[in-house]
Amino acid sequence: MKDYDESTAFLGQWGRFQQVVFFLLCASIVPNGLGAFSVVFLTDIPRHHCLIPEENLTQDWRDAIIPIEVVNGKREQSRCSRYRLDVVRNLSAQGFIPGRDVNLTDLEQEGCVDGWSYSKDIYQSTLVSEFDLVCSDQWKPPFTSTACFLGYLVGSFISGQLSDRVGRKPVFFTTMAVQTTFSFCQAFSPSWTVFTILIFFNGFGQISNYVSGFVLGTEILTGDVRVIFSSMGVCMGYAIGYMILPLVAFFLRDWKSLLLAISLPGVLYIPLWWFIPESPRWLLSQGRVEEAEAIVRKAAKTNRVEAPTVIFKDYSAHDDDPQEHLNVISLVKTQSVRSTTVILCLVWFSLSIGYYGLSLNTSRLHADPYISCFLSAAAEVPAYMSCWLALKYFPRRLSVIFILLLGGASLFLIQLVPETLSDLAVALEMLGKLVITSGTSLIYAYTAELYPTVLRNTAEGVCITVSRIGSCLAPFLLQLRESFEYLPYIILGTLAVVSAFAALYLPESFGKPLPQTIQQMQKRESMKCPCITRK
């Protein structure tokens, strides 16, 4: 039997059929970029202090009722306390002047029993100001992000296996509907608890839609076009959505309006069902040869080329045992597949915790949040371009190792930079982020090329699931700077270097056709680790 790429070579690589699939799938990823980091604006904490009721207070006491605290060397109003209102009311009625007649440090304080007053200089409202997620509830905004990441984790694990069972296309459009529906419903959340539950399912839909769309394009497209799609095309769609987000948020500064705006694009993609086909590779892996041939013949008609009488000659569903049910257990059943899976999971974990750790760390910059978000998104564009060049011209294994070593080295060097050269430290951190972002994009394509069609989506899903554990841990990793400023960089750098050495034992996929069966995957050559005994 001919390889799939060889059997469909008559279509060419960049006909009208491939162009439609390429651009529509890339465009379908834009809502993912819009939604992924919307939580930055939704849960941002405006400046706030205790609400002062309409009381008969002099202006002096109204200005002084909020205590002054020193935070990070700066004097600012307390966010969670005020001087006791009944005491202040008495002193004001007696004509005492704060700071002259009364020593404010001697006054008793109380919590914000009447609520909070929030600044509207940046936002009209956020989730924080809507549900008072401050002071004793200040753990709730970061937990909201964690709930979204947990949705990513569950979605990565479930959708991959589901896609391998029922098909790429149904899962792709179903999860697009899930993402759109729950984004819309979030705008009408009556409480923080409901919002958190909804954002979990929103995250589930986002990552599931991204992975199924990525795999669908990887399997339909071939040759250099597949490389461009998997490295730059789909990632650029994500980056475009990410860059549009701060623009939308700038004009819609109310959290409900922002959610409604980012949910609308999903509705526009409903007609894509009639233009994006099922993956012929997946249909062949299920033994549905006639359906696969029908799609390829329609593609040939679109490209205005003539298809052979028999496209998939002597094709059998797969060379594996037809009675064997392939699922997530198949990823660790044999020694060679298990070694590849374990190493890839380590690499995915290191890249994910590095990407989110460095991305979240940029929020410490004291800059306009809209500009900061846009620059963070724009910085990913050169990363994706470098990933495309690496996938086009260099072996996958070598590229992954180089990226991990360069990223690890840049993070290690930060602690050696003197305080007088703070710009150099920032440059090294940005280099680390750019390189790790490039690696995150590259590893999607590398993983898809290593696994056979019958396990490809499951493998992607499992690896992404492990990576989401890293993203959930990233916020806690940054807290370690409280004990030692450079500890997060040391941990991230160490993980990158260890992963680089582990990647030495991955198979190479550069210039090779996608495997269709487990047997074809096992034939891929890789370095043999002396510590592993192969049977």
Side-chain angles (χ1 to χ4, degrees), residues 410-418 425 428 484 486-487 489-490:
S410 64
L411 296 177
F412 277 131
L413 289 174
I414 290 176
Q415 60 186 313
L416 303 179
V417 177
L428 286 172
F484 179 52
Y486 298 109
L487 187 56
Y489 298 119
I490 294 173

Side-chain angles (χ1 to χ4, degrees), residues 52 57-68 77 98 104:
I52 309 302
L57 300 176
T58 64
Q59 189 60 44
D60 287 338
W61 279 107
R62 187 169 291 278
D63 294 338
I65 193 171
I66 304 298
I68 301 298
Q77 287 185 321
L104 294 177

Side-chain angles (χ1 to χ4, degrees), residues 25-272:
L25 284 177
C26 289
S28 72
I29 302 300
V30 172
N32 294 79
L34 270 169
F37 290 97
S38 61
V39 71
V40 172
F41 300 106
L42 296 174
T43 62
D44 202 5
I45 304 176
R47 290 187 296 108
H48 58 278
H49 58 74
C50 292
L51 177 66
I52 309 302
E54 292 296 330
E55 295 282 348
N56 188 21
L57 300 176
T58 64
Q59 189 60 44
D60 287 338
W61 279 107
R62 187 169 291 278
D63 294 338
I65 193 171
I66 304 298
I68 301 298
E69 299 176 344
V70 178
V71 179
N72 296 324
K74 297 181 179 180
R75 292 169 58 84
E76 60 181 44
Q77 287 185 321
S78 173
R79 298 181 176 184
C80 301
S81 63
R82 70 184 185 189
Y83 295 118
R84 282 188 54 176
L85 184 60
D86 56 343
V87 173
V88 169
R89 187 188 302 114
N90 261 340
L91 294 172
S92 177
Q94 296 177 44
F96 290 110
I97 297 177
R100 190 189 72 178
D101 303 324
V102 178
N103 185 355
L104 294 177
T105 58
D106 295 335
L107 295 182
E108 186 179 352
Q109 298 183 15
E110 63 182 358
C112 299
V113 293
D114 295 307
W116 288 262
S117 175
Y118 297 92
S119 169
K120 294 187 177 182
D121 56 346
I122 297 179
Y123 307 104
Q124 287 299 310
S125 69
T126 68
L127 197 69
V128 174
S129 63
E130 182 78 14
F131 300 116
D132 289 331
L133 308 182
V134 292
C135 298
S136 60
D137 287 334
Q138 63 184 348
W139 59 273
K140 291 183 177 179
F143 184 80
T144 305
S145 301
T146 300
C148 184
F149 285 136
L150 289 173
Y152 279 22
L153 189 152
V154 175
S156 302
F157 184 76
I158 294 178
S159 65
Q161 299 178 69
L162 188 63
S163 183
D164 280 336
R165 289 196 182 197
V166 304
R168 294 12 177 168
K169 183 177 177 178
V171 173
F172 174 70
F173 282 96
T174 299
T175 52
M176 183 182 291
V178 169
Q179 176 184 347
T180 302
T181 301
F182 282 94
S183 290
F184 182 82
C185 292
Q186 281 177 256
F188 302 97
S189 301
S191 67
W192 172 79
T193 302
V194 172
F195 184 93
T196 304
I197 295 171
L198 293 176
I199 203 172
F200 170 86
F201 288 103
N202 188 5
F204 177 96
Q206 283 186 32
I207 192 63
S208 301
N209 175 252
Y210 184 92
V211 174
S212 55
F214 175 86
V215 173
L216 183 58
T218 300
E219 293 184 344
I220 291 177
L221 303 171
T222 59
D224 292 339
V225 177
R226 184 177 68 211
V227 172
I228 296 175
F229 172 82
S230 59
S231 61
M232 233 185 9
V234 68
C235 295
M236 284 297 185
Y238 181 89
I240 289 172
Y242 190 2
M243 288 189 287
I244 293 175
L245 171 64
L247 181 64
V248 176
F250 178 81
F251 289 104
L252 301 175
R253 304 199 177 199
D254 173 76
W255 70 278
K256 293 185 178 183
S257 300
L258 178 60
L259 278 171
L260 291 175
I262 64 178
S263 66
L264 288 179
V267 179
L268 303 178
Y269 293 117
I270 294 176
L272 299 190

